[in-house]
Amino acid sequence: MNLDFSNKKALVRVDFNVPLDKEFKITDDTRIKAAIPTIQHILEQGGSVILMSHLGRPLSKLNEDGSINREKFTLKHLVKHLRRKLKTRVHFVDDCIGKAAVKKAAELKPGEVLLLENTRFYKEEEKGDEEFAKKLAALGDIYVNDAFGTAHRAHASTTIVAHYFDKYHKTFGFLMEREIENATRAMKDPEKPVTCVTGGSKVSDKILLLEKFLDYADNILIGGAMAYTFFLAKKGSVGNSLVEEDKLKIAKEFLKKAKDAGVKVLLPRDSVCGDKFAADAQVEVYPSNQIPDGWMGLDIGPSAARSFASAIRKSKTVIWNGPMGVFEMPVFANGTKVVAKACASATRKGAFTMVGGGDSVAAVNQLKLAKKVSFVSTGGGAMLEFLEGKELPGIKAING
Ligand code: AMP
């Protein structure tokens, strides 16, 4: 963000994909709040801001006659809220390219904001169409990408548009800078011992992450349904737990690679099991490799939670992605809660702790512990890919 924005029109890609209720009122404005510092910085420097974002998936949810449901997916729903937050004039144009957008952008004065209509009203957006991106680019003097949540997509407004600005006229916003800085700090030369915690439902979704963790972790803790694929690979009985039978070989190979690399892998030695996948299930604790038929592991057990927490508390760097169990149901939320609290406790003792990606973020927020860890990422899929070591197209387009 160290560009001079005075008298410049900054074309800023934000992630305003916020949840709306039936009356189109914003139910959670976290994403808007996250973009405010970048917008305000540009305005304070005497620049003006042209905001572009997507909202939902309008082209996958067309009206019966094949037209776009503009009423539902318009970004106009956000204008009032933005005015209140920014305390400045926020104009809106019901297109993101074309004559009206060009005119409104040209008329924009320093200190003012223009919100463009949903970029996903055009199929060209997700296709990363060059011509469409060029039209977006023509609206501003400087391009700012502050939408970390979509940085893993090579869409027109997140990536291709940046090709039309030279390196002196494009930059990351504060939110993107923080995400990149924190994830890089966690992955590159982290203070040891490093504990990586992963959970969630599928090994197939997390195997690349697990393999990347081998580069720098001292301990890898595996919770969630994923753990049962590992137990099955080790010839344990996992009852009716969720497993990926076609991933047993991958699981076995991973354990061997970890052993060869000298990385300790902790699987949950016991599990809180339910007789059905439901909040009112009967509950029993079983060793995770001896779960009887008719029972499924739905959370790490009390003994596993203690050893996971102990490893986390002894660490200087912790990266956590994915819940330990079905935390949405209170009876199966304890493992995730214990891990979140251990992260908070490690942070208090000076560790760098980062929670990145989807559901573990939701869990930390639900437990009101977000402020007690060092960094909570806003980008689910994007952070997962970043941690997997992939070069995200939205980042590459700025860095050149
Ligand atoms: P993911 O999107 O892969 O991070 O997975 C998150 C989802 O995994 C959450 O909705 C959890 O409820 C679910 N989950 C975690 N542990 C289990 C488990 N042991 N069995 C079934 N689902 C689980």
Side-chain angles (χ1 to χ4, degrees), residues 161-315:
V161 65
H163 301 162
Y164 297 96
F165 295 85
D166 66 29
K167 65 177 178 179
Y168 305 106
H169 293 85
K170 59 183 168 187
T171 184
F172 299 118
F174 290 131
L175 176 68
M176 279 281 269
E177 272 176 2
R178 271 189 344 121
E179 295 274 358
I180 297 168
E181 236 171 68
N182 280 289
T184 307
R185 174 175 171 189
M187 295 165 71
K188 297 240 161 76
D189 212 12
E191 200 178 341
K192 288 186 158 271
V194 180
T195 294
C196 297
V197 190
T198 180
S201 49
K202 289 186 182 158
V203 175
S204 47
D205 288 346
K206 303 282 164 80
I207 188 68
L208 292 175
L209 180 68
L210 284 169
E211 304 228 327
K212 186 70 191 166
F213 283 162
L214 291 178
D215 289 349
Y216 53 88
D218 298 289
N219 309 301
I220 298 179
L221 318 186
I222 303 177
M226 289 167 63
Y228 304 105
T229 300
F230 284 93
F231 281 113
L232 196 59
K234 286 157 65 106
K235 308 264 183 264
S237 311
V238 296
N240 295 27
S241 306
L242 191 65
V243 286
E244 288 172 281
E245 306 236 7
D246 58 336
K247 295 291 173 293
L248 298 180
K249 196 162 161 245
I250 285 179
K252 246 185 156 157
E253 278 167 7
F254 171 75
L255 293 173
K256 163 118 188 11
K257 278 186 207 164
K259 198 169 171 208
D260 293 346
V263 177
K264 196 167 160 192
V265 176
L266 254 76
L267 290 165
R269 68 173 80 99
D270 58 350
S271 291
V272 179
C273 303
D275 63 347
K276 57 181 175 181
F277 187 90
D280 63 349
Q282 295 280 336
V283 170
E284 288 286 350
V285 174
Y286 291 107
S288 301
N289 59 356
Q290 294 170 46
I291 300 176
D293 283 346
W295 292 84
M296 54 182 92
L298 294 173
D299 190 13
I300 59 171
S303 166
R306 273 195 301 279
S307 63
F308 279 26
S310 160
I312 291 169
R313 279 198 300 263
K314 283 185 208 145
S315 303

Side-chain angles (χ1 to χ4, degrees), residues 11-37:
L11 180 66
V12 185
R13 177 51 158 104
V14 286
D15 179 2
F16 281 176
N17 186 25
V18 290
L20 301 171
D21 65 14
K22 286 205 180 82
E23 272 97 48
F24 306 119
K25 293 228 164 59
I26 299 163
T27 55
D28 179 353
D29 73 342
T30 309
R31 288 182 171 152
I32 296 180
K33 278 203 288 220
I36 298 290

Side-chain angles (χ1 to χ4, degrees), residues 9 50 99-109 114 138-139:
K9 291 183 170 51
I50 302 166
K99 269 193 196 147
V102 171
K103 184 165 181 285
K104 287 260 193 177
E107 287 167 0
L108 202 62
K109 297 190 184 63
L114 169 65
L139 300 174

Side-chain angles (χ1 to χ4, degrees), residues 2 6 18 46 260-262 289 318 340 347 363 371 379 390 400:
N2 55 357
S6 67
V18 290
D260 293 346
N289 59 356
V318 181
T347 316
K371 292 213 165 79
K390 291 189 186 138

